[in-house]
Amino acid sequence: MSRFLQSRYASLEAYVPGEQPQDKKYIKLNTNESPYPPSPGVLAAVNEAEAARLRLYPDPECKVLTRKLAAMLDVETENVFLTNGSDDSLNFAFMAFAGGNTPAVFPDITYGFYKVFAQLHHIPTRIVPLKPDFTLDPADYYNAGGMVVITNPNAPTGMLRTRDELEQVIRSNPDHVVVIDEAYIDFGGESCIPLTKKYDNLLVVQTFSKSRCLAGARLGFAVGNKELIADLTRLKYSTNPYCINRITLAAGEAAVDENDYYMGHCREIMATRTKTARALTELGFEVLPSAANFIFAKPPKLSGEALYKALKDRGILVRYFSAPRTKDYVRITIGTPAEMDALIAAVQTLCGTVS
Ligand SMILES: *Cc1c(COP(=O)(O)O)cnc(C)c1O
């Protein structure tokens, strides 16, 4: 820390991203990326001609991509807000809709970035524990008295709530924004986007990083009532109006055009998830029901950390969270069937057969 950093940031605990080691080639099942490449149209769009146009600023309004995305989601362009990854949309939502007398309200076990955004913007928090079996009880968020943030399906548990259950939360908080982070919704959930037409306090956030195979491009978006979107746009234009680069815009446009390609791969990942969960259960793991592209599982015999380390030694990366309620578990991203076969083989030698 330099002697110039202002005291208001002195105790900020930054988000710790999943490791991206470069020492050797790993089977990477630790950051919920897609194991599949972007669609052919994306590869074609990220071409020399687009690179040559890098001397020009991108369109700050992202008009073409906004129009395509609005059509795909069945909303109007004024309801769509695009950012450099969905982390940026979430950051702007915390900035805009919480603080002062409005705490941010979210579960104890969820996406780790929420508490960082709260700390960064000096927003008070009210942390609501998940039930002992890791389910999120929607009733815990009725009349929450602050901005509610729910990841659905939740991370790192993968557990899903229905749109009807979340509608109760949205309806019971008419004077506060409810943010539903749908980073993993394409892997078996029901999006709340249709409810944005009915509730002016709902903001739904999604990303191209997981189901759309574009984690490296950094592209995310929020959908909501046009006044909410105007507020977010005001903050974006006060920070970095050109936050989405030309190459990413071109990639995003092509990805929307080829939606079927991505939804097909999501179905494959869901099938691989079912098989992997079954195999791990047979090996004595306790596997939470997942509607995401990862599973959260408790190994027999070994601690979460011990399994994480042993797998890393064998060239397989998974994610381990050291907090008291999650330390017995590992989060495993669903890769290709061959990658999951390698995982299961490694786990078999490490944990042995139980039955
Ligand atoms: C991955 C993830 C994000 C952020 O994704 P971006 O790559 O910034 O779009 C947001 N929320 C959750 C719950 C995530 O898992």
Side-chain angles (χ1 to χ4, degrees):
M1 196 187 306
S2 81
R3 61 204 163 86
F4 305 105
L5 183 69
Q6 292 299 299
S7 58
R8 65 181 180 277
Y9 297 123
S11 61
L12 181 63
E13 290 169 58
Y15 180 72
V16 182
E19 58 188 324
Q20 307 284 2
Q22 311 294 331
D23 57 332
K24 63 176 182 187
K25 201 170 172 327
Y26 287 93
I27 295 182
K28 246 188 119 280
L29 308 176
N30 69 326
T31 50
N32 299 343
E33 290 139 328
S34 176
Y36 301 108
S39 55
V42 169
L43 303 183
V46 180
N47 59 17
E48 226 173 289
E50 200 50 47
R53 282 190 283 271
L54 282 174
R55 69 186 180 81
L56 301 169
Y57 279 107
D59 172 16
E61 293 177 65
C62 312
K63 281 191 281 299
V64 178
L65 179 54
T66 302
R67 184 158 33 77
K68 285 178 188 280
L69 205 49
M72 183 178 87
L73 302 170
D74 190 28
V75 296
E76 302 302 318
T77 55
E78 66 199 17
N79 304 120
V80 177
F81 176 68
L82 280 157
T83 51
N84 188 324
S86 63
D87 286 335
D88 244 5
S89 286
L90 293 164
N91 184 36
F92 288 131
F94 272 76
M95 240 187 190
F97 307 125
N101 296 327
T102 304
V105 184
F106 52 85
D108 60 339
I109 300 171
T110 190
Y111 188 36
F113 223 138
Y114 303 150
K115 66 175 193 303
V116 181
F117 293 136
Q119 226 196 352
L120 175 64
H121 301 300
H122 302 276
I123 296 166
T125 57
R126 187 158 75 75
I127 308 294
V128 183
L130 297 178
K131 299 294 170 210
D133 64 356
F134 294 115
T135 52
L136 180 149
D137 185 351
D140 287 344
Y141 298 86
Y142 296 169
N143 307 304
M147 180 182 80
V148 174
V149 189
I150 291 177
T151 309
N152 193 53
N154 198 9
T157 64
M159 291 172 79
L160 182 75
R161 299 269 55 144
T162 66
R163 177 159 62 209
D164 290 347
E165 290 169 323
L166 294 177
E167 182 168 5
Q168 303 296 328
V169 175
I170 299 156
R171 196 201 320 253
S172 74
N173 286 284
D175 297 325
H176 291 292
V177 171
V178 175
V179 178
I180 307 291
D181 182 346
E182 295 188 339
Y184 303 102
I185 199 69
D186 295 323
F187 300 101
E190 243 177 334
S191 174
C192 285
I193 286 177
L195 297 178
T196 59
K197 297 177 202 227
K198 200 164 152 193
Y199 298 97
D200 68 357
N201 63 325
L202 169 62
L203 190 74
V204 179
V205 177
Q206 289 192 12
T207 177
F208 282 65
S209 294
K210 280 63 183 244
S211 58
R212 292 173 205 280
C213 316
L214 285 175
R218 313 304 305 127
L219 185 60
F221 62 94
V223 179
N225 168 274
K226 70 173 181 194
E227 274 89 28
L228 289 185
I229 300 304
D231 295 341
L232 295 172
T233 303
R234 185 203 290 235
L235 294 181
K236 170 167 137 175
Y237 275 47
S238 305
T239 310
N240 180 5
Y242 300 109
C243 72
I244 306 176
N245 72 73
R246 276 181 171 277
I247 304 283
T248 293
L249 281 176
E253 290 160 18
V256 174
D257 287 341
E258 294 180 324
N259 192 43
D260 292 349
Y261 168 94
Y262 297 99
M263 295 307 112
H265 279 314
C266 287
R267 284 191 293 276
E268 282 179 60
I269 287 168
M270 288 159 69
T272 311
R273 177 180 74 204
T274 304
K275 275 196 186 162
T276 305
R278 193 178 306 137
L280 289 174
T281 305
E282 279 167 14
L283 288 169
F285 280 65
E286 190 187 295
V287 180
L288 300 192
S290 171
N293 68 339
F294 56 82
I295 48 186
F296 200 54
K298 180 175 183 236
K301 300 177 194 169
L302 298 178
S303 70
E305 186 177 22
L307 180 61
Y308 153 78
K309 284 190 172 146
L311 286 171
K312 188 172 179 183
D313 286 344
R314 286 166 175 72
I316 301 175
L317 281 180
V318 299
R319 189 96 193 252
Y320 156 72
F321 300 93
S322 61
R325 285 190 78 185
T326 48
K327 67 177 181 12
D328 294 336
Y329 291 74
V330 289
R331 190 193 69 190
I332 304 167
T333 305
I334 302 299
T336 61
E339 288 174 325
M340 301 326 275
D341 287 347
L343 169 86
I344 297 296
V347 164
Q348 216 150 13
T349 59
L350 289 168
C351 297
T353 40
V354 164
S355 52

